[in-house]
Amino acid sequence: ERPAVAERSLATSGGETGIASYYWQPQALATGGRFNPDAYTAAHKTLPFWTRVRVTRLDNGNSVDVVINDRGPYVSGRIIDLSRRAAQSIGMTGAGLARVKVAVLGR
């Protein structure tokens, strides 16, 4: 129930703004299977699995569309963990973190 509420609030509020990080380490996913750092995927704390979101980096306007297939990030103050490929596409792998807006596109 809670993830559906989170999805509705993100969809109707125009998005969520905060800090994104990225990950590349081999690991198991909350949805099952193994993490693929070259896929356009992300981890979010509350959005339902398989939700499509657009992540826009606020300082340069670059955006990427990803699918939520994992839970996280587990570091305070961060709102989404992008795969390495998604992070590369918005130019954040150098710094490792970026201020972003996350907008729900659908499921």
Side-chain angles (χ1 to χ4, degrees), residues 7 23 29-31 34-45 47-55 64-72 80-87 89 102-107:
E7 180 180 22
Y23 62 133
L29 295 170
T31 53
R34 300 292 295 169
F35 170 64
N36 177 356
D38 292 320
Y40 287 91
T41 58
H44 192 275
K45 293 175 189 166
L47 286 173
F49 293 134
W50 316 122
T51 299
R52 293 180 307 110
V53 299
R54 178 163 294 145
V55 180
V64 63
D65 295 350
V66 296
V67 174
I68 304 300
N69 72 342
D70 202 8
R71 289 291 172 231
I80 195 164
D81 256 342
L82 299 173
S83 67
R84 179 185 60 207
R85 173 75 68 209
S89 71
V102 176
V104 172
L105 299 175
R107 289 188 71 183

